[in-house]
Amino acid sequence: MKKLILTTFLLLVCFVNYSQDTDEKAIELMNQENYQGAINELNQVIKQNDTYSYYYYLRGYSYSQLGNLFNAKKDFLKSDDLGANPADAVYNELATIYFGEEDWTNAVVYYKKELEALGGSDIFALFNIATSYYNSEQYKLAITSYTNVISMNSNEKLVAFSYLQRGKAKNTLKDKSGCRDVTKALDLYMDALWENKEWGLRAPVDYAYNSYCQSKKTNNIYFKSWKKASKRYYKNLSKNLN
């Protein structure tokens, strides 16, 4: 079953005076979250200057906020044709749309462009590339890409999930080291849960057993620990809410 990853690129664009050429009224409307008004304004701006990549990015972003991904993609592609400004944001938007469409080939293309624009060391772009390969069942490429995420080691949640996905990919390829990755992932999730981190609740206890990576006895130990840690997590959560 293909999994849609969580949004790993948080686009925090502060729409201020990007340059002297940028239309101030459109940006003001975007700041007010009046995206349709911004689109109407940008339509007029683009009629006057249809060669400025940033205008297409702004309109594409506005379309995406309204859920109109067809027109959003058209504008992001046009922005790319004209020079992708701002490059990493344009590429991420395109990759995210292709990912949602399960067009894994183009998702990889634009996540790689995003990675290059970010200097080649962004863990989120690397993770998205790996997951696109995994979803397209290109397991050897997925293994290599998840290894890059693990080596970067700058986000514990992504590292834990990368161990799990790398283990699953190895298991699919009958690689005996897959179970070692699954167990490593399980330990990382359990550690997170004991530290009251919400993502630890998704510890792959069942998968570790169902994939024959653990004996029933070992799995029972993990399950009891997970159950105890989960109870503790929700107790602490309830206490903090009161």
Side-chain angles (χ1 to χ4, degrees):
M1 176 178 163
K2 295 184 175 71
K3 290 189 176 181
L4 183 63
I5 57 171
L6 298 176
T7 303
T8 58
F9 180 87
L10 184 59
L11 184 60
L12 296 176
V13 179
C14 181
F15 294 108
V16 293
N17 290 331
Y18 187 83
S19 76
Q20 292 181 348
D21 296 326
T22 303
D23 185 80
E24 294 180 359
K25 185 175 180 180
I27 294 174
E28 181 180 354
L29 291 166
M30 295 178 78
N31 282 331
Q32 298 169 357
E33 298 185 2
N34 181 357
Y35 296 111
Q36 186 57 58
I39 289 169
N40 295 339
E41 178 66 19
L42 287 161
N43 287 341
Q44 299 304 312
V45 173
I46 289 171
K47 282 183 180 179
Q48 298 173 21
N49 181 358
D50 63 357
T51 62
Y52 191 22
S53 170
Y54 189 58
Y55 290 154
Y56 289 96
Y57 165 70
L58 291 177
R59 192 172 68 177
Y61 184 81
S62 297
Y63 275 127
S64 71
Q65 294 303 295
L66 295 177
N68 187 340
L69 298 184
F70 177 81
N71 281 328
K73 184 165 69 172
K74 283 178 59 178
D75 274 349
F76 291 137
L77 286 170
K78 182 66 174 180
S79 181
D80 186 24
D81 288 342
L82 293 172
N85 184 9
D88 58 320
V90 172
Y91 296 145
N92 178 268
E93 293 285 355
L94 280 167
T96 301
I97 291 173
Y98 283 122
F99 193 101
E101 294 174 343
E102 299 188 2
D103 183 346
W104 312 120
T105 299
N106 276 315
V108 168
V109 167
Y110 285 98
Y111 280 131
K112 283 186 174 181
K113 285 189 173 186
E114 179 197 6
L115 181 63
E116 183 179 358
L118 291 170
S121 60
D122 183 79
I123 194 169
F124 295 104
L126 285 169
F127 179 82
N128 290 337
I129 291 167
T131 303
S132 297
Y133 280 136
Y134 183 89
N135 286 349
S136 61
E137 300 181 355
Q138 298 183 72
Y139 297 118
K140 290 184 179 180
L141 291 173
I143 289 168
T144 299
S145 298
Y146 282 127
T147 299
N148 291 336
V149 175
I150 292 167
S151 297
M152 185 166 289
N153 196 30
S154 61
N155 182 297
E156 60 180 356
K157 181 179 177 180
L158 293 187
V159 169
F161 191 57
S162 293
Y163 270 113
L164 176 60
Q165 295 302 93
R166 190 176 74 173
K168 288 182 175 181
K170 288 179 177 179
N171 286 346
T172 300
L173 297 176
K174 308 300 182 184
D175 184 331
K176 293 181 180 180
S177 66
C179 283
R180 185 164 59 245
D181 279 349
V182 171
T183 300
K184 175 66 174 179
L186 181 54
D187 287 337
L188 290 173
Y189 274 92
M190 290 301 302
D191 288 345
L193 184 54
W194 280 110
E195 293 170 5
N196 286 316
K197 296 174 182 176
E198 185 273 338
W199 61 270
L201 292 168
R202 293 183 288 279
V205 180
D206 289 341
Y207 178 79
Y209 177 68
N210 294 331
S211 61
Y212 304 103
C213 286
Q214 288 183 344
S215 67
K216 187 173 182 179
K217 181 178 179 180
T218 300
N219 188 256
N220 283 339
I221 294 172
Y222 273 98
F223 178 73
K224 287 178 181 178
S225 179
W226 176 86
K227 190 174 180 180
K228 184 176 181 180
S230 298
K231 185 177 180 180
R232 177 174 174 269
Y233 170 83
Y234 285 114
K235 183 178 180 180
N236 289 333
L237 180 63
S238 177
K239 185 187 298 183
N240 291 333
L241 292 175
N242 294 331

